[in-house]
Amino acid sequence: MDLKEVYTALEKVENGAELITAIKTEVNKLNNEAKRHREAGEQSGKKLKDVLEAIGVADDDKSIEKAKELKSTLDTFAQGGKKPDEVAKQISTLTKQVETVTQQLTEMTKTATEEKAKRLNGMKVQKAVELLTKGNAASPTQMAKLLQDSIVIKDDESLVYKDAEGKEISLEDGVKGWLKDNTWAVKANNAGGSGSTGGGGGNDDPFLAGFKN
């Protein structure tokens, strides 16, 4: 039997209306009381959530354990004679120091990377000039600039040459091949000696001819 049926039955008895009124009054009181408890519970839950957020503890199944751990930590600080605000200042100072050191390390790493890149690039140019000079190139320093993109530095800082097909060969063979394919970059051998007037067409410098063509 539900409450509506109870009311119907009471209407048929003597003083039934008064009983119905009394029951409704008590029901309203219970409902209001339940509402107050529900709202109080919601407020308490909200306060607890705010407190957990304030101390950096997630509102989950492990929140109670984490809160206990935090309480234990604070008790340890208290035993050491340090107040929470003093500890907070120390943590703030340490955080700033860590940030400073991190920034310095980043700058040092950047500088070291740049210096390494300069050193390796200089090594490429130096070796290329050496091999071009050995190969009788007309202007080794200038020719080395043309070869830089073809020279590859391996992980062990050894140098190799990447040919037109993308194959890696020794730097020595790569420079020899480049000079062979670009004869205009090689010095001419003047058979006429120091007294030659250079009138013969066969003595034209291939290096200069490369710019004329």
Side-chain angles (χ1 to χ4, degrees):
M1 179 180 292
D2 57 22
L3 193 58
K4 184 178 180 181
E5 293 173 339
V6 171
Y7 289 156
T8 302
L10 288 174
E11 288 176 351
K12 299 177 181 179
V13 301
E14 186 178 355
N15 299 323
E18 296 177 2
L19 293 174
I20 292 174
T21 300
I23 292 174
K24 288 183 177 180
T25 300
E26 290 301 320
V27 169
N28 287 334
K29 287 181 180 180
L30 292 174
N31 287 337
N32 292 333
E33 188 70 19
K35 181 180 179 182
R36 284 195 297 271
H37 284 302
R38 184 178 68 254
E39 292 176 347
E42 292 174 352
Q43 289 294 325
S44 297
K46 184 177 183 304
K47 289 180 180 179
L48 177 59
K49 184 177 180 180
D50 292 341
V51 169
L52 292 175
E53 290 180 354
I55 62 177
V57 176
D59 185 11
D60 53 25
D61 295 338
K62 297 182 179 180
S63 59
I64 295 178
E65 294 178 8
K66 293 178 181 177
K68 288 181 178 179
E69 291 175 359
L70 179 60
K71 176 62 167 57
S72 177
T73 302
L74 293 175
D75 289 342
T76 301
F77 287 142
Q79 292 174 4
K82 293 182 179 180
K83 297 179 180 179
D85 57 341
E86 294 176 344
V87 176
K89 289 180 181 179
Q90 290 182 348
I91 293 175
S92 178
T93 300
L94 288 173
T95 300
K96 291 180 180 179
Q97 291 176 349
V98 170
E99 290 176 351
T100 300
V101 172
T102 301
Q103 183 177 359
Q104 291 175 345
L105 287 175
T106 300
E107 293 174 354
M108 290 173 62
T109 301
K110 180 180 178 182
T111 300
T113 301
E114 292 174 350
E115 291 297 328
K116 181 179 181 180
K118 290 180 182 178
R119 178 177 63 82
L120 294 178
N121 187 61
M123 185 172 67
K124 286 170 58 175
V125 174
Q126 181 181 359
K127 189 62 178 178
V129 169
E130 177 186 330
L131 293 174
L132 287 166
T133 301
K134 184 177 180 181
N136 203 34
S139 181
T141 302
Q142 296 300 319
M143 295 302 104
K145 296 178 181 179
L146 300 178
L147 298 178
Q148 276 185 292
D149 292 341
S150 297
I151 300 174
V152 178
I153 302 175
K154 307 296 287 184
D155 292 338
D156 60 356
E157 296 191 4
S158 60
L159 302 175
V160 296
Y161 187 92
K162 183 175 289 187
D163 61 19
E165 298 178 354
K167 181 181 178 181
E168 292 184 355
I169 58 178
S170 69
L171 184 56
E172 290 78 4
D173 291 341
V175 173
K176 286 181 182 178
W178 186 86
L179 288 173
K180 182 178 180 181
D181 294 337
N182 297 273
T183 55
W184 58 270
V186 181
K187 289 181 181 179
N189 292 319
N190 292 325
S194 60
S196 175
T197 60
N203 292 329
D204 286 345
D205 191 334
F207 175 73
L208 297 177
F211 289 99
K212 293 178 182 178
N213 293 335

